[in-house]
Amino acid sequence: LGSAGRGGWEMAAWARAVRGLLLDISGVLYDSGGDGGVPIAGSVEAVRRIKASGLKLRFCTNETQATREKFVKKLQGMGFDISVDEVTAPAPAACRILKERSLRPHLLVHNDLVPEFAEIDKANPNCVVIGDAAENFTYANLNEAFRVLIGMEKPVLISLGRGRYYKETDGLKLDVGAYMKALEYACDVQAEVVGKPAKMFFESALAEMGVPPEQAIMIGDDIVNDVGGAQRCGMRALQVRTGKYRPCDENHPHVKPDAYVNNLAEAVDIILQQL
């Protein structure tokens, strides 16, 4: 098994019970970037092999810089066999919550994500929704969101994830969690996280696959949000050594993946050998 190490051998026994896989996208399938990004070696073929195997498959992403349609189109252009209805993402889940609770959001999100909220009433906001706004994370925009929250008797902050950073082709980038924490601190409010690592997010993906957690494996590059979040739902979780992975992740004080693999292709090799 080589560098997958002892974890790979231990994985073999329980991998036999697997009926479904949940895959993170950024850092597992591809590395994003200003040029659109690049597929990680072997990942296009790995997705094809999963689909050919008959395993259930769900793509679980905290991507909030584009609508699912635009994001999926980009991945299809890289050669990935993926469709919009296979993707579990934070924005549609947030829209469901906003409608259920009659919330009218002030949006601090990427311009390309705004169409996801087209059917939501945004007049006279009574909450703030924050996503990975990238260049929209200016002082003026953060301050505007702060003013909306601080003006409420019971502020409501909904965050489309809580990642600290992610990897693009030119290096690591600050993620939504850093800005979420700033607003939490300034307004003395606890954000409601929609997306990984929220239990509801993983449970939604499992329900869409029709697979119980003990028969599913999550594969991700984020030790806390992908691996830790999935394990808290009763799933097994593998960490790839691609994307935002750093060697220090292997000494994380709280989260221990069920196995480490060098990349998605290696994970798929091990899992499919057990079927």
Side-chain angles (χ1 to χ4, degrees):
L1 191 68
S3 55
R6 200 164 55 92
W9 292 112
E10 291 164 354
M11 186 167 79
W14 52 258
R16 292 187 190 108
V18 171
R19 287 178 48 219
L21 297 181
L22 284 72
L23 304 186
D24 179 32
I25 295 181
S26 179
V28 174
L29 300 189
Y30 85 120
D31 283 324
S32 58
D35 53 356
V38 293
I40 291 167
S43 58
V44 170
E45 174 68 6
V47 170
R48 191 197 63 74
R49 290 178 66 207
I50 294 167
K51 291 199 166 184
S53 74
L55 285 172
K56 299 280 185 73
L57 177 60
R58 197 82 196 155
F59 299 93
C60 292
T61 181
N62 272 6
E63 169 66 41
T64 56
Q65 285 196 10
T67 61
R68 280 189 302 171
E69 286 75 13
K70 191 172 178 182
F71 184 49
V72 164
K73 197 171 180 183
K74 178 173 81 170
L75 291 165
Q76 289 170 340
M78 294 181 188
F80 287 103
D81 179 2
I82 181 172
S83 62
V84 172
D85 60 6
E86 294 174 310
V87 177
T88 303
C95 286
R96 283 196 297 273
I97 290 168
L98 293 168
K99 286 177 180 174
E100 284 166 10
R101 290 163 55 183
S102 300
L103 290 170
R104 301 179 305 277
H106 170 84
L107 298 176
L108 179 51
V109 300
H110 197 283
N111 291 343
D112 290 344
L113 192 71
V114 172
E116 289 271 19
F117 297 89
E119 295 177 18
I120 302 293
D121 181 7
K122 295 177 279 292
N124 189 23
N126 59 2
C127 73
V128 168
V129 171
I130 185 172
D132 179 13
E135 281 73 23
N136 279 354
F137 279 135
T138 62
Y139 175 78
N141 288 345
L142 277 163
N143 202 51
E144 193 177 354
F146 159 73
R147 284 176 170 171
V148 171
L149 288 169
I150 206 74
M152 296 177 195
E153 191 178 334
K154 290 186 176 175
V156 176
L157 174 61
I158 295 173
S159 187
L160 306 179
R162 68 167 196 207
R164 294 176 177 177
Y165 55 86
Y166 54 90
K167 186 187 177 198
E168 289 199 335
T169 48
D170 62 347
L172 298 176
K173 303 285 176 80
L174 275 177
D175 203 352
V176 60
Y179 301 95
M180 176 197 88
K181 286 291 182 186
L183 290 174
E184 280 188 334
Y185 177 66
C187 303
D188 195 21
V189 61
Q190 183 90 36
E192 300 175 39
V193 178
V194 179
K196 297 175 292 186
K199 198 171 182 186
M200 183 178 74
F201 186 80
F202 286 109
E203 287 171 348
S204 174
L206 289 167
E208 285 156 356
M209 285 200 302
V211 171
E214 62 274 13
Q215 294 181 351
I217 297 176
M218 174 72 199
I219 302 174
D221 67 327
D222 187 316
I223 183 79
V224 173
N225 294 324
D226 294 336
V227 175
Q231 287 176 332
R232 281 196 301 277
C233 280
M235 280 186 270
R236 306 278 186 171
L238 314 184
Q239 186 176 20
V240 290
R241 294 187 177 107
T242 55
K244 68 192 287 185
Y245 163 85
R246 295 189 299 159
C248 62
D249 291 345
E250 303 201 20
N251 299 314
H252 195 280
H254 309 300
V255 183
K256 303 291 177 204
D258 291 279
Y260 290 94
V261 287
N262 285 326
N263 48 44
L264 177 62
E266 186 173 81
V268 171
D269 277 344
I270 298 167
I271 292 164
L272 295 189
Q273 282 168 15
Q274 305 309 313
L275 298 181

